[in-house]
Amino acid sequence: MARVVDGDTIALEGAGSGPDLRIRLFGIDAPEGDQACTDARGRAWACGDVAARRLAQLVQGRVVACEERDRDQYERIVAICRIGGRDVNETLVAEGLAFAYREFSERYVAHESAARRDGRGVFAGQALAPWEHRAAQRTGSTVLAGPNGCTIKGNISRSGRRLYHTPASPSFAETRIDEASGERWFCSEAQARAAGFAPAHR
């Protein structure tokens, strides 16, 4: 049997009293547990928790067959896991609850493209790619959501330009918000535009 560790990692019960075997799902990267995304209306939602819960729905109480493809830096098995022939990795990407992890494989790129086109899951609104979220946490370069849970940054440049940055903007991670100087967080692009902010270059 399998239990869920996070949105792209499961643990298979060890034989006898042996330790559980952790398996990282190959070719995908799901939002982190502490990560928030915004929906089409700019409302924040716990996309990392939702991805983990969906994975739990798929695997818990089921027989999971995993095909090893690699080992990661922590020596975890990286695998394609299936339930009755259904590719679990593919399902998460197709439902918009994980990104195709292009750095390691292009196997699920087409599924991500379809999810983006149809606005499913994290692709219905704004979402920072999980690897970008982790990088930002390591460097301490950004706050990923404001106190109101909103994830669009309204920044005022040195020249006085009022620009907003979504999680998809290249400079989102390094942009800091100083509310005392008139900068602020927005929950939607429409809200930012209404306040006089223009989109930053993407």
Side-chain angles (χ1 to χ4, degrees):
M1 294 297 179
R3 65 177 177 83
V4 169
V5 177
D6 57 33
D8 52 34
T9 307
I10 62 174
L12 301 182
E13 291 181 1
S17 59
D20 289 352
L21 181 65
R22 286 203 174 195
I23 297 178
R24 175 75 159 78
L25 300 183
F26 173 79
I28 77 171
D29 201 4
E32 296 294 328
D34 63 348
Q35 191 171 343
C37 302
T38 57
D39 64 17
R41 298 177 62 183
R43 297 172 300 189
W45 62 287
C47 51
D49 286 343
V50 172
R53 288 201 300 269
R54 177 56 177 145
L55 181 55
Q57 289 176 347
L58 290 168
V59 306
Q60 285 183 349
R62 310 288 296 278
V63 176
V64 182
C66 295
E67 173 192 346
E68 182 174 345
R69 287 299 188 91
D70 200 359
R71 295 277 177 141
D72 69 10
Q73 60 182 324
Y74 307 109
E75 283 301 308
R76 290 179 300 184
I77 293 173
V78 182
I80 296 172
C81 293
R82 297 181 175 88
I83 299 170
R86 181 184 187 181
D87 185 332
V88 173
N89 313 31
E90 176 186 312
T91 298
L92 291 171
V93 177
E95 293 182 0
L97 294 175
F99 291 71
Y101 210 168
R102 290 169 173 81
E103 181 180 351
F104 299 100
S105 172
E106 295 189 357
R107 182 183 179 93
Y108 302 109
V109 170
H111 303 90
E112 180 187 307
S113 297
R116 285 182 181 275
R117 183 184 63 242
D118 296 339
R120 293 194 291 267
V122 299
F123 306 115
Q126 300 289 341
L128 195 65
W131 53 88
E132 294 174 343
H133 175 82
R134 293 190 295 270
Q137 287 191 316
R138 285 194 299 270
T139 61
S141 61
T142 187
V143 176
L144 299 175
N148 54 2
C150 298
T151 58
I152 296 176
K153 298 178 177 181
N155 173 254
I156 302 174
S157 70
R158 291 177 183 175
S159 63
R161 294 184 66 200
R162 299 163 73 86
L163 302 172
Y164 69 82
H165 304 257
T166 71
S169 302
S171 55
F172 179 86
E174 61 264 26
T175 299
R176 296 176 181 272
I177 296 302
D178 180 7
E179 294 185 287
S181 66
E183 297 176 336
R184 53 184 291 199
W185 292 87
F186 297 103
C187 290
S188 70
E189 293 189 61
Q191 186 182 51
R193 289 192 295 269
F197 287 76
H201 177 70
R202 297 182 185 178

